[in-house]
Amino acid sequence: MNKSAFHQLSYGVYVVSTWDQGRATGCTANSAMQITSEPATVAVSINHDNYTNQCIRSTGRFAVSILGENSDPGIIGAFGFKSGKDNDKFAQVEHVTKEHMPVVADACGYIVCEVIDSMETDTHTVFLGKVLDADVLKKDVPMTYSYYHNVIKGRSPKNAPTYIAE
Ligand SMILES: Cc1cc2nc3c(=O)[nH]c(=O)nc-3n(C[C@H](O)[C@H](O)[C@H](O)COP(=O)(O)O)c2cc1C
């Protein structure tokens, strides 16, 4: 199998967030996609070991903050390389509340979902969410995963579904 073909799939860069008993939390994710239009549904794939997984499970909701090319790239690192279990990731990141979910204020848009189904894989849970609210926050070019790799020179940790060992 030539895993380089996986690099030809296109993604964006998002923060998937939810609540942890009254505290906002979440993780960086590339895996968000719209599944249906009417009613609108969106799916995310979150690693079993990510704290965000169990928080989405108990809250039953998640938000997808869509990062733009002008969003602070530090947000990707803050949410993508630490666990919310022992880090208050939103403490330093300005956010707004939409449909009871924390949304990154510096994102170019957001989508808030209620979990209506989920599917287990060996390593990740695919959460299917019915869209409760969505809006554009500012005019920006949504960041692509290839922009993250090629322009920002960012890495992907092991828990990202697209991770390929060097
Ligand atoms: C660019 C990028 C994309 C990522 N995509 C995903 C993803 O789609 N799903 C996932 O489970 N983790 C993904 N990760 C890894 C999580 O963000 C990372 O494991 C995080 O520390 C988990 O935090 P948590 O334990 O607070 O949930 C990604 C990380 C980066 C930097």
Side-chain angles (χ1 to χ4, degrees):
M1 191 193 317
N2 181 359
K3 291 188 175 175
S4 300
F6 297 159
H7 289 312
Q8 294 176 330
L9 290 169
S10 299
Y11 303 98
V13 183
Y14 314 102
V15 171
V16 173
S17 56
T18 186
W19 286 104
D20 170 23
Q21 295 171 13
R23 187 187 66 152
T25 194
C27 69
T28 303
N30 62 279
S31 61
M33 67 184 290
Q34 185 172 0
I35 303 297
T36 58
S37 161
E38 202 56 58
T41 58
V42 166
V44 294
S45 170
I46 304 296
N47 194 284
H48 294 154
D49 294 336
N50 285 359
Y51 192 58
T52 306
N53 188 312
Q54 65 188 75
C55 294
I56 292 177
R57 225 174 262 282
S58 53
T59 309
R61 279 191 190 195
F62 62 88
V64 178
S65 297
I66 303 157
L67 300 182
E69 290 184 359
N70 292 299
S71 297
D72 176 2
I75 294 170
I76 302 169
F79 282 89
F81 295 93
K82 292 181 207 165
S83 176
K85 192 168 187 176
D86 28 54
N87 288 281
D88 187 356
K89 298 186 184 181
F90 271 103
Q92 311 295 332
V93 176
E94 204 184 324
H95 53 287
V96 291
T97 304
K98 302 285 180 184
E99 289 289 333
H100 309 295
M101 288 292 107
V103 165
V104 174
D106 194 25
C108 58
Y110 72 89
I111 299 167
V112 179
C113 295
E114 178 184 10
V115 177
I116 55 169
D117 212 339
S118 65
M119 186 187 84
E120 295 304 333
T121 71
D122 285 351
T123 54
H124 288 68
T125 307
V126 179
F127 292 102
L128 177 66
K130 179 182 167 196
V131 177
L132 302 175
D133 186 26
D135 207 352
V136 172
L137 292 176
K138 66 177 175 187
K139 202 163 178 237
D140 195 359
V141 178
M143 189 187 294
T144 62
Y145 204 41
S146 86
Y147 182 94
Y148 172 70
H149 283 295
N150 300 327
V151 180
I152 297 185
K153 306 283 183 203
R155 301 178 291 117
S156 298
K158 213 168 180 181
N159 286 357
T162 47
Y163 172 78
I164 297 176
E166 297 293 321

